[in-house]
Amino acid sequence: MQQEPFFGLNSYHIALAVIGVVVILARWLPRLVSNREPASPPLMILFGAAAALLIPGLPTLPDPRQEPLVWELVSELTVIVALFGAGMRIDNLRMGRRWIPTFRMLAVAMPLTILAVALLGVGVAGLTVAGAILLGAVLAPTDPVLASDVQVGPPHEGEESPVRFTLTTEAGLNDGLAFPFVYLGLIVAAEGLNPGAWALDWLLRDVVYRIVLGVVMGWIGGKALGYILFKVPKGAVLAETGSGVVALAGVLLCYGSTELIEGYGFIAVAVLGLTLRRMEAEHEFHRRLHDFSESIEHALTALLLVALGSVLPILFTDLTWTHFVVAFLLILVIRPLSGWIALMKTGLGFRERAVVSVYGVRGIGSIYYLCYAGSHMEFTNEGALWSLIALVILISTILHGFTVGWAMDWLKVKKNVRGRF
C-alpha cells in the first residue's frame, strides 16, 4: 500500500478553503469603503470565477448544461426557503390600495417582460420560438434571494414602505407565476406552434389549476403549521422551544405535498409564510424563525453564487455580442419600462415608481427554472440560453448590488423633505 505524502493537497479540502476565503472576502471587502450592507452577491460570483481560473487543483463542478440535476435541487431548496422568508417578513397584510402596485407588477409588468424578452430572443439572439418563450419565463421573475436590501425588514421591525412592500410581495409571488410560461416553452418545443392543440389544456391545467392549488395548499399548510406550533398542546407549545427546524420541516412538507398533486410549490410556500405570520402575530417565535431560515438561505445562496462563478468560464463559451444587447435591454429598458407602465395611477410617487421599476434583480430563481427545463427537454439553443442567463445574473447583481444603497438614500431624501414641510 502506497503511503500518501504528509502534506498531500486534497482537491476537496482546497475547494472548501477557497469557498471560505471567497465568502469572507465578498462580505468584508465592501466594508473597507462603505458601512452599508455588503454588496456581496456579485463579488462572490466574480471571486468564484477568478478562483476557477487562477487556482490549480480545484475540483470541476458539474456542467449545468450537461448535468442540471444537482444545480436544480440546490437552487430549488434555496428559492423555497427564500420565498417562505419573504412571506414571513410581512407584518401588515391588510388588503387595500397597498396591494395594487404588487398586483400590477404581477399582472402587467411580468407578462410585458416575458413578451419583450421572447421577441428579443427570436429577433436578436436567434433563438427558436420555444427557446425564446423559455428565456422570457426564466428572466421574468425577480429574485427573493438576492433582493433583501430593497425588501421589508424582519418580523416586528416594520420598514414596510410602499417600495419595500411592493418589491417583497412581488418577489415572493412571481417565482411561482413564471412557471406557466416555462411549461408553455416546453409545450411549444414538444408540439410546435399550434395553439389549437394545446392552448386550452395549458390554460386550465398549468395556469388555473396549479396556481389555485398552490394558494389553497399554502393557506391550509400555514393554518395547520400554526396550530401545531402555537395551539397544541396547551402550556407546552412547540413555539416556546424556539426550534425553527419543525417550521422548516413544515415548509418542506407543504412544498412537497403541493408538488405531488401538481400544484405550484413556490406559490404554496410563499402563501404559507404569509399565513403562518398571521398566527399569533406578536409571538417572538416569528422573529426567531425568520432569522433561522434567513441563515440557511444565506448559506445556500453563497454556495450557489461561488459555484456559478466557478462555471462562468464554461458557460460563457457560447457568449456573443447579441447576448450583451439582450441583457442590457432587459435590465436597463424592458424591466424599468414595463414596471413604469404597470405602476401608472397606483398612488406611488415618481421616485417610488422608479425604484420599484428598476430594482428587479435576477438570480437564483433563473438558475432553477433553466435547470428544470433542461432536465425535462433538450433545447436547440440550450448553450446560448445558459450563456445569456449567466450574463444577466452577473450584470444584474453588479448593477443592482452596487447602486441599491444610493437608491434607498434617494427615497429617504424625499421622505425627509416632506417631513420638514
Side-chain angles (χ1 to χ4, degrees):
M1 180 178 177
Q2 185 175 3
Q3 186 175 4
E4 292 185 1
F6 185 72
F7 285 107
L9 297 178
N10 183 286
S11 61
Y12 169 70
H13 295 147
I14 294 175
L16 293 181
V18 168
I19 292 172
V21 170
V22 166
V23 174
I24 291 172
L25 286 178
R27 301 288 296 185
W28 174 69
L29 283 178
R31 293 290 187 180
L32 296 179
V33 296
S34 172
N35 59 0
R36 300 185 187 281
E37 183 66 21
S40 56
L43 294 180
M44 290 182 192
I45 298 174
L46 293 172
F47 291 167
L53 291 171
L54 301 176
I55 300 177
L58 286 179
T60 303
L61 291 178
D63 186 339
R65 299 168 300 180
Q66 307 299 326
E67 302 176 66
L69 182 59
V70 63
W71 292 86
E72 178 186 345
L73 294 177
V74 178
S75 59
E76 181 181 32
L77 181 59
T78 307
V79 174
I80 291 170
V81 176
L83 291 174
F84 172 70
M88 283 290 297
R89 292 190 189 103
I90 304 297
D91 284 333
N92 189 346
L93 198 61
R94 68 176 184 275
M95 302 302 291
R97 290 188 59 84
R98 71 198 310 251
W99 279 94
I100 292 177
T102 300
F103 294 146
R104 290 277 193 87
M105 292 300 292
L106 297 174
V108 178
M110 187 173 173
L112 284 177
T113 300
I114 292 174
L115 176 61
V117 172
L119 291 175
L120 281 177
V122 173
V124 177
L127 301 176
T128 63
V129 174
I133 294 172
L134 179 62
L135 177 68
V138 168
L139 290 177
T142 55
D143 203 292
V145 181
L146 302 179
S148 58
D149 289 341
V150 291
Q151 294 185 2
V152 301
H156 304 139
E157 282 198 4
E159 297 186 18
E160 295 190 6
S161 67
V163 169
R164 293 182 179 274
F165 180 87
T166 301
L167 287 170
T168 303
T169 50
E170 180 199 10
L173 295 173
N174 64 11
D175 265 292
L177 294 177
F179 239 128
F181 299 97
V182 173
Y183 282 123
L184 180 60
L186 294 173
I187 291 171
V188 172
E191 302 187 21
L193 281 173
N194 182 20
W198 47 257
L200 183 61
D201 183 57
W202 172 75
L203 181 64
L204 294 179
R205 180 191 62 199
D206 297 327
V207 178
V208 177
Y209 172 80
R210 284 176 160 156
I211 290 176
V212 171
L213 198 61
V215 173
V216 171
M217 289 293 289
W219 182 82
I220 293 174
K223 289 292 185 181
L225 185 57
Y227 191 77
I228 291 172
L229 287 172
F230 298 110
K231 302 295 184 182
V232 177
K234 289 184 178 180
V237 295
L238 275 174
E240 297 298 336
T241 68
S243 174
V245 174
V246 174
L248 183 63
V251 174
L252 299 179
L253 173 61
C254 180
Y255 180 83
S257 59
T258 303
E259 290 289 327
L260 284 174
I261 56 177
E262 298 298 335
Y264 289 135
F266 283 171
I267 293 178
V269 293
V271 174
L272 171 71
L274 291 168
T275 305
L276 181 62
R277 183 67 185 84
R278 312 279 75 76
M279 303 286 287
E280 300 291 334
E282 300 304 318
H283 200 290
E284 63 178 9
F285 178 75
H286 292 295
R287 177 56 188 265
R288 296 200 301 268
L289 175 57
H290 169 271
D291 294 344
F292 175 75
S293 64
E294 188 177 53
S295 297
I296 297 174
E297 173 191 327
H298 285 175
L300 291 172
T301 301
L303 290 174
L304 264 176
L305 293 179
V306 176
L308 176 64
S310 71
V311 297
L312 275 187
I314 300 173
L315 298 181
F316 280 173
T317 54
D318 294 311
L319 200 62
T320 66
W321 68 268
T322 59
H323 295 148
F324 284 91
V325 173
V326 174
F328 279 109
L329 284 176
L330 167 65
I331 295 169
L332 301 178
V333 179
I334 293 174
R335 162 68 187 198
L337 184 58
S338 62
W340 189 264
I341 293 171
L343 295 173
M344 294 174 62
K345 298 182 180 180
T346 57
L348 294 182
F350 174 84
R351 295 192 183 194
E352 286 87 352
R353 287 174 67 186
V355 173
V356 173
S357 299
V358 169
Y359 283 90
V361 63
R362 270 63 184 172
I364 305 302
S366 297
I367 296 175
Y368 168 74
Y369 277 124
L370 193 52
C371 287
Y372 178 88
S375 64
H376 284 75
M377 183 167 291
E378 185 174 342
F379 281 83
T380 305
N381 310 110
E382 189 169 353
L385 283 171
W386 268 108
S387 294
L388 180 51
I389 298 302
L391 179 65
V392 169
I393 294 174
L394 178 61
I395 296 174
S396 180
T397 53
I398 290 174
L399 292 181
H400 294 145
F402 287 105
T403 62
V404 66
W406 170 84
M408 293 296 105
D409 287 345
W410 190 48
L411 289 176
K412 289 178 182 178
V413 168
K414 177 191 175 185
K415 182 178 178 181
N416 291 337
V417 170
R418 279 185 172 178
R420 288 199 296 268
F421 291 93

